[in-house]
Amino acid sequence: MAIFTGAGVAIVTPMNQDGLVNYDKLGEIIEFQIANHTDSIIITGTTGEASTLSEEEHVECIRFAVDKVAKRIPVIAGTGSNCTHTAIYLTQEAEKAGADGALVVTPYYNKATQKGLVQHFTKIAQNTSLPMVLYSVQSRTGVNIMPQTVAELFHSCENIVAVKEASGNISQVADILQMTQGDIDIYSGNDDQIVPILSLGGKGVISVLSNICPQETHDIVAKFMEGDMVGSRELQLKMLPLIHALFCEVNPIPVKTAMNLMGMEVGPLRLPMTPMEEANKARLIQAMKDMGIPLK
């Protein structure tokens, strides 16, 4: 059984002006997401600036999200690291906190071999009972999880149950599903590929777009699952200009900018992330206006 079906939000980590985590605001945006039918909260992922959180902050954000959500929808904790030992620690802490699953990204900077990836993910899986979602995003980490590697891990580790596929390669998604007999759950890691991945048998999306348009992102998946493929496709295509604007600079710079423009007051980014360039900000503002998103 899938951890969730639908649109899960890769939620931002709001900051105070002093750069510390703003837990009050995190609680507000979690409630906003649930009220607008988001199907899962994915905390401390790439969009949540996990790479610049201390281990203490990382764990506290997971605990806070689990407590705030209170089992209304699943909470998946980003627990990946380029250190296997650290990834095990974060995953075990997420399990203790009551998370419903762990999203584990490929080790970044190390550029592990496929053999190294097998050993890394296997070791984590052996040290937790949480369902694990592998996160393949070569553009951020420098290494791709090959379909054969995904299949090997899926068949050898019973709690590796899903993949967040952000390679951008639809053929790779098809190969993964073929090699796992369609039994592994796949979530799109790219907001512009939700419908293509659903058409191959995907379960939904782990979405940046959902931070500002949770209902619409939910509806793209819900319509498809209900058999309204035309409506799903039309909504996917309608959202494309906004999606492109949200990725015209490295994530999460644009989405945090967008949320602040909406008056959500999620605060600044942590270095080395910097404020959005003015030309790109103007593009983002226009895309939001075109979608009828009210700006403050």
Side-chain angles (χ1 to χ4, degrees):
M1 185 175 180
I3 303 172
F4 77 95
T5 299
V9 61
I11 203 162
V12 305
T13 301
M15 307 285 184
N16 293 307
Q17 289 305 313
D18 62 5
L20 297 177
V21 177
N22 185 340
Y23 291 101
D24 289 340
K25 184 60 63 174
L26 179 57
E28 288 180 22
I29 62 176
I30 287 172
E31 291 298 340
F32 167 75
Q33 288 294 321
I34 293 174
N36 285 277
H37 304 112
T38 283
D39 299 291
S40 179
I41 301 291
I42 294 81
I43 190 77
T44 59
T46 304
T47 311
E49 299 177 80
S51 59
T52 54
L53 297 175
S54 69
E55 287 185 13
E56 292 77 13
E57 289 173 320
H58 198 131
V59 172
E60 184 55 35
C61 283
I62 295 169
R63 289 174 182 154
F64 181 90
V66 169
D67 290 346
K68 186 67 176 177
V69 172
K71 296 298 181 183
R72 287 175 287 175
I73 57 176
V75 174
I76 299 175
T79 59
S81 172
N82 62 341
C83 171
T84 305
H85 176 81
T86 302
I88 290 170
Y89 165 74
L90 291 172
T91 305
Q92 289 176 335
E93 289 299 311
E95 183 170 1
K96 291 176 190 175
D100 298 285
L103 176 68
V104 186
V105 72
T106 48
Y108 39 87
Y109 188 77
N110 311 65
K111 294 187 75 172
T113 64
Q114 296 300 302
K115 178 181 177 181
L117 292 179
V118 169
Q119 293 189 22
H120 173 77
F121 288 121
T122 299
K123 196 73 171 177
I124 299 166
Q126 289 172 341
N127 282 276
T128 184
S129 62
L130 281 180
M132 278 174 53
V133 183
L134 307 179
Y135 182 12
S136 183
V137 57
Q138 185 173 5
S139 64
R140 300 289 295 231
T141 66
V143 62
N144 181 40
I145 312 178
M146 297 300 293
Q148 297 89 338
T149 303
V150 173
E152 180 179 347
L153 286 162
F154 177 71
H155 290 126
S156 63
C157 302
E158 64 178 15
N159 57 330
I160 292 179
V161 299
V163 183
K164 179 184 177 184
E165 238 296 334
S167 68
N169 185 343
I170 295 297
S171 295
Q172 176 163 295
V173 175
D175 285 340
I176 290 169
L177 286 163
Q178 188 274 326
M179 291 179 187
T180 60
Q181 298 75 50
D183 290 333
I184 198 167
D185 296 331
I186 292 194
Y187 300 100
S188 176
N190 296 317
D191 285 311
D192 61 351
Q193 293 185 334
I194 303 171
V195 170
I197 286 178
L198 291 176
S199 74
L200 286 169
K203 297 295 184 182
V205 61
I206 295 177
S207 170
V208 174
L209 176 65
S210 285
N211 281 284
I212 61 172
C213 295
Q215 184 67 60
E216 292 85 349
T217 315
H218 164 87
D219 288 348
I220 292 172
V221 182
K223 286 177 182 291
F224 191 97
M225 295 298 187
E226 292 164 2
D228 182 9
M229 297 179 188
V230 172
S232 175
R233 183 181 69 241
E234 288 176 349
L235 188 51
Q236 168 84 91
L237 295 176
K238 178 182 178 182
M239 303 302 291
L240 277 183
L242 178 57
I243 292 167
H244 293 328
L246 286 171
F247 289 91
C248 69
E249 286 189 25
V250 67
N251 179 48
I253 293 172
V255 72
K256 268 195 146 178
T257 303
M259 294 173 79
N260 285 328
L261 288 167
M262 294 167 66
M264 300 181 81
E265 299 178 353
V266 296
L269 299 125
R270 282 188 177 174
L271 284 170
M273 297 292 182
T274 52
M276 202 169 185
E277 299 290 340
E278 287 302 318
N280 289 329
K281 185 176 179 181
R283 175 185 174 184
L284 176 62
I285 289 171
Q286 188 59 56
M288 294 172 73
K289 287 180 177 177
D290 290 345
M291 285 299 301
I293 297 173
L295 308 181
K296 298 294 184 181

